[in-house]
């Protein structure tokens, strides 16, 4: 089969490059012989949203090539000699044979990757969309093949763990600022935001139509942790997914640090896990922990607009993991109630939590001087006078006995 001339290319695996080019050319020739050209349709994806304005998101519309029915038949693919040649090249390579027609991914998330699917999605589709015809285009093929070869031979995949921060107003200049333990706070990408909407992990302000909604700018940032994992592949592989992620504890501590340093009512939505969409053949959907979503008070957002606040977050976050701090039960209780106070809508509820916080810090503190208990006791009570009991309308047990410093019991007064 005749192939057009191409400029020299430095391919990591030239047999794979040659076999892939032959197969793409053969498939395009077979489709062209049937007559007619490719058919494109406009499709609206209601699971994928793109920002149109600061708080307005629209359903993603994109034009798709309608794949011929032949692509769904394994017998049709096997009838092509070029397909058999490509499969032979894959089977003879020590790495490629473990990356196709098997499960591939990172621990706890392996997705099956088929050879014919890779050919259609990453080699044929870019060429057809570039030419709008069943015609081989060398430049379009070379660009597509470079991405496929690099993706198939890569040694790592990237896992993105993120949790939407609700009620946070952040300066754009601080987006992506480095935080401890590899954490960052940044605006969510369209894919990350779309996945959070899909699992109802963030509160939607209003659906203005079937194709748009309004999302407050206070709910568009996320706390993110990105990590690299070695590629796992093989149907008989069972990678250890039981190791807990450090992200859960880190997110909890960072939320406490945000409340202590910046105040406000910031809380978080549902924690999400997603493969980096820049990875080759990345699974587009995320997994989520279906926790409760606590809505913040939008009238009291948490403000992160100063670089000095980022430095304070570093300091407080580190202190929250100090063993000495963790052993102080009174301080842990105070921090817990302080975080709870920030989520309260009613001022009365916030006041109760803040009072308990103050009580934990200044009354239940085990390091107070020994005479603190006596100092807290009212003077009249130390002298034998009963203290006033809230809600009773009388002083202590005066109805039971009389004596020095006590008023006569009510029944004695009536008798006289």
């Amino acid at each position: 089969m005749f192939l057009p001339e191409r400029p020299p290319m430095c391919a990591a695996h030239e047999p794979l490059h040659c076999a892939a080019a032959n197969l793409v050319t053969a498939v395009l020739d077979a489709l062209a012989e049937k007559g007619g050209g490719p058919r494109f349709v406009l499709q609206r994806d209601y699971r994928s949203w793109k920002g149109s304005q600061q708080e307005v998101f629209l359903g993603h519309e994109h034009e798709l090539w309608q794949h011929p029915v032949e692509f769904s038949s394994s017998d049709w693919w096997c009838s092509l000699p070029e397909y058999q040649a490509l499969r032979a090249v894959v089977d003879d390579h020590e790495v490629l044979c473990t990356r196709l027609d098997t499960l591939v991914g990172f621990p706890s998330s392996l997705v099956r990757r088929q050879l014919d699917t890779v050919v259609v999605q990453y080699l044929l589709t870019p060429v057809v969309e570039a030419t709008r015809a069943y015609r081989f285009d060398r430049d379009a093929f070379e660009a597509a093949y470079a991405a496929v070869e690099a993706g198939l031979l890569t040694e790592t995949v990237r896992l993105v763990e993120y949790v939407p921060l609700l009620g946070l107003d952040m300066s754009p200049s601080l987006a992506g600022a480095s935080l401890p333990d590899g954490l960052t706070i940044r605006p969510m990408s369209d894919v990350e935001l779309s996945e959070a909407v899909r699992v109802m992990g963030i509160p939607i302000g209003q659906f203005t139509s079937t194709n748009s909604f309004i999302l407050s700018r206070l709910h568009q940032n996320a706390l993110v942790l990105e990590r690299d994992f070695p590629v796992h592949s093989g149907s008989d592989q069972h990678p250890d997914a039981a190791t807990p992620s450090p992200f859960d504890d880190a997110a909890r501590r960072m939320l406490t640090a945000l409340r202590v340093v910046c105040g406000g009512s910031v809380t978080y939505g549902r924690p999400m896990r997603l493969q980096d969409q820049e990875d080759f053949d990345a699974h587009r959907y995320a997994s989520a922990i279906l926790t409760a979503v606590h809505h913040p008070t939008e009238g009291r957002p948490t403000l992160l607009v100063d670089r000095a606040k980022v430095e304070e977050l570093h300091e407080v976050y580190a202190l929250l993991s100090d063993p000495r701090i963790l052993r102080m039960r009174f301080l842990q209780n105070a921090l817990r109630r302080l975080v709870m106070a920030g989520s309260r809508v009613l001022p009365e509820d916030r006041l109760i939590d803040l009072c308990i916080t103050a009580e934990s810090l200044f009354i239940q503190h085990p390091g107070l001087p020994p005479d603190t208990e006596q100092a807290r006791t009212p003077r009249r009570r130390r002298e034998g006078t009963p203290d006033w009991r809230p809600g009773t309308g009388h002083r202590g047990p005066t109805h039971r006995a009389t004596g020095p410093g006590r008023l006569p019991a009510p029944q004695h007064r009536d008798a006289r």
Side-chain angles (χ1 to χ4, degrees), residues 179-196:
L179 295 174
D181 294 338
L183 297 172
T184 57
I185 297 179
R186 60 168 174 78
M188 287 181 283
S189 66
D190 287 337
V191 174
E192 293 167 350
L193 188 143
S194 298
E195 287 301 288

Side-chain angles (χ1 to χ4, degrees), residues 366-382:
L368 291 176
D371 60 342
T372 302
E373 177 66 28
Q374 184 178 2
R376 291 203 311 267
T377 305
R379 181 178 59 84
R380 295 181 62 189
R381 184 174 180 181
R382 295 198 304 271

Side-chain angles (χ1 to χ4, degrees), residues 258-273:
L258 282 169
R259 288 278 180 81
V260 172
V261 174
C262 304
S265 62
V266 64
T267 183
Y268 46 68
R270 290 177 171 166
M272 314 282 291
R273 305 181 71 185

Side-chain angles (χ1 to χ4, degrees), residues 332-361:
Q332 294 300 316
N333 181 62
L335 290 171
R336 181 169 60 253
R337 300 305 296 225
L338 179 64
V339 172
M340 293 173 63
S343 303
R344 305 296 190 186
V345 177
L346 298 177
E348 297 87 347
D349 294 336
R350 292 201 302 275
L351 180 60
I352 291 174
D353 284 323
L354 292 176
C355 286
I356 296 176
T357 299
E359 179 183 349
S360 299
L361 291 175

Side-chain angles (χ1 to χ4, degrees), residues 159-163 180-184 223-229 240-255 268 271-273 289 317 321:
L159 175 64
V160 179
E161 295 181 271
Y162 67 99
V163 58
D181 294 338
L183 297 172
T184 57
L223 183 66
V224 184
L225 174 64
E226 299 186 21
R227 294 182 292 161
D228 289 332
F229 286 93
D240 183 14
T243 303
S245 170
F247 182 67
D248 297 335
D249 180 66
R252 177 186 59 80
R253 281 194 284 153
M254 186 54 67
L255 179 66
Y268 46 68
M272 314 282 291
R273 305 181 71 185
I289 302 176
Y317 179 88
S321 62

Side-chain angles (χ1 to χ4, degrees), residues 101-388:
D101 295 326
T102 187
L103 298 177
V104 182
F106 52 84
S108 77
S109 181
L110 302 178
V111 181
R112 188 165 185 84
R113 180 187 291 169
Q114 295 290 133
L115 175 60
D116 53 353
T117 302
V118 172
V119 171
V120 172
Q121 184 173 353
Y122 297 105
L123 292 177
L124 282 167
T125 299
V127 173
V128 173
E129 289 180 348
T131 61
R132 312 288 292 188
Y134 293 135
R135 174 173 54 84
F136 186 86
D137 182 87
R138 175 61 64 179
D139 293 335
F141 172 78
E142 294 297 342
Y145 174 79
V148 170
E149 184 184 88
L152 291 177
L153 298 177
T154 187
E155 298 181 354
T156 60
V157 289
R158 193 161 186 81
L159 175 64
V160 179
E161 295 181 271
Y162 67 99
V163 58
L165 292 174
L166 310 180
L168 175 69
D169 193 1
M170 183 176 65
S171 171
S173 63
L174 299 180
S178 177
L179 295 174
D181 294 338
L183 297 172
T184 57
I185 297 179
R186 60 168 174 78
M188 287 181 283
S189 66
D190 287 337
V191 174
E192 293 167 350
L193 188 143
S194 298
E195 287 301 288
V197 170
R198 181 177 65 86
V199 301
M200 295 182 288
I202 52 178
I204 301 299
Q206 177 185 1
F207 276 95
T208 54
S209 70
T210 59
N211 191 43
S212 63
F213 66 83
I214 296 176
L215 176 65
S216 171
R217 61 184 177 83
L218 301 178
H219 307 332
Q220 297 182 20
N221 296 298
L223 183 66
V224 184
L225 174 64
E226 299 186 21
R227 294 182 292 161
D228 289 332
F229 286 93
V231 174
H232 288 266
S233 62
S235 300
D236 58 344
Q237 296 293 318
H238 302 282
D240 183 14
T243 303
S245 170
F247 182 67
D248 297 335
D249 180 66
R252 177 186 59 80
R253 281 194 284 153
M254 186 54 67
L255 179 66
T256 303
L258 282 169
R259 288 278 180 81
V260 172
V261 174
C262 304
S265 62
V266 64
T267 183
Y268 46 68
R270 290 177 171 166
M272 314 282 291
R273 305 181 71 185
L274 177 71
Q275 185 176 355
D276 192 335
Q277 294 301 291
E278 294 185 1
D279 283 357
F280 173 75
D281 197 25
H283 188 52
R284 62 170 295 188
Y285 297 119
S287 58
I289 302 176
L290 301 182
T291 58
V293 177
H294 301 283
H295 291 224
T297 304
E298 296 193 8
R300 297 185 299 106
T302 296
L303 304 179
L304 183 59
V305 296
D306 188 358
R307 179 68 61 176
K309 294 294 184 182
V310 177
E311 301 300 326
E312 292 184 38
L313 286 176
H314 279 262
E315 182 179 358
V316 174
Y317 179 88
L319 289 173
L320 291 174
S321 62
D322 191 309
R324 296 170 298 176
I325 301 297
L326 296 176
R327 287 194 297 267
M328 297 179 182
R329 297 182 59 183
F330 74 94
L331 182 56
Q332 294 300 316
N333 181 62
L335 290 171
R336 181 169 60 253
R337 300 305 296 225
L338 179 64
V339 172
M340 293 173 63
S343 303
R344 305 296 190 186
V345 177
L346 298 177
E348 297 87 347
D349 294 336
R350 292 201 302 275
L351 180 60
I352 291 174
D353 284 323
L354 292 176
C355 286
I356 296 176
T357 299
E359 179 183 349
S360 299
L361 291 175
F362 304 114
I363 298 180
Q364 298 179 1
H365 196 311
L368 291 176
D371 60 342
T372 302
E373 177 66 28
Q374 184 178 2
R376 291 203 311 267
T377 305
R379 181 178 59 84
R380 295 181 62 189
R381 184 174 180 181
R382 295 198 304 271
E383 295 174 352
T385 304
D387 57 336
W388 181 75

